[in-house]
Amino acid sequence: MTRIGVTGHRTIPAAALPAVRAGLRALLHGHGGEVQLEALTSLAAGADQLFADTALAHGVPVTAVIPGMDYEAHLGAPAVLDAYRRILRSCTDRVQLPFQPTHEEAYLAAGRWIVDHADHLVAVWDGRPARGLGGTGDVVEYARRSGVPVTVLWEPGVLRD
């Protein structure tokens, strides 16, 4: 079993989406039938939900890693919450992490859990530093320090707002 985790931005500019979608499909399809895959994601808006939907479309089981906080209250718009609940119902497994003092610490703990349990990390990332504790840049840095291979998916030259 090969576990692929994800970290990434909640907002992906339209100019980056084609490259990100193609990269996710290639990554999940590229293993063919010879290797069983499992997807690890926190199901946040943007990269996490896109990764989970792509994994499910490729028949890859998804494990939801839920940060230790009132997560649903921080997911954002109703459409994001609806997508979160829809994907969560399709997940093979769910890991509820221990409560953390702040939501940023909860995001960091979830990112680290994913890295600690993944054989490979895919990062939907513009390459810039994290905007807050537990952001994509922090998780990528942790993975690299931990020796977990990282594949970055992004369209060169595209910046987030």
Side-chain angles (χ1 to χ4, degrees):
M1 173 76 67
T2 298
R3 290 177 158 185
I4 301 175
V6 69
T7 188
H9 301 311
R10 290 178 184 236
T11 303
I12 304 169
L17 272 173
V20 170
R21 283 190 175 116
L24 289 174
R25 285 191 303 268
L27 182 70
L28 293 167
H29 184 72
H31 288 84
E34 65 268 5
V35 177
Q36 280 193 299
L37 298 178
E38 179 183 1
L40 306 175
T41 171
S42 291
L43 302 180
D48 281 67
Q49 290 185 0
L50 181 60
F51 176 71
D53 278 334
T54 305
L56 290 167
H58 281 82
V60 175
V62 175
T63 294
V65 180
I66 311 301
M69 58 187 275
D70 184 9
Y71 194 48
E72 288 192 8
H74 287 86
L75 284 172
V80 174
L81 181 58
D82 290 345
Y84 166 81
R85 289 176 176 162
R86 173 186 53 79
I87 297 167
L88 188 60
R89 286 190 300 270
S90 298
C91 287
T92 304
D93 200 5
R94 176 181 175 162
V95 176
Q96 178 66 55
L97 296 178
F99 182 79
Q100 297 294 318
T102 69
H103 66 273
E104 286 188 333
E105 289 172 282
Y107 296 143
L108 182 59
R112 286 183 172 177
W113 192 98
I114 288 171
V115 168
D116 290 343
H117 293 84
D119 300 297
H120 190 106
L121 183 73
V122 60
V124 178
W125 181 45
D126 62 3
R128 299 174 63 94
R131 292 182 177 172
L133 181 67
T136 304
D138 290 344
V139 177
V140 169
E141 181 182 326
Y142 179 74
R144 288 178 172 161
R145 280 195 327 262
S146 300
V148 174
V150 177
T151 297
V152 176
L153 300 178
W154 199 256
E155 182 67 35
V158 174
L159 299 177
R160 291 185 297 146
D161 293 333

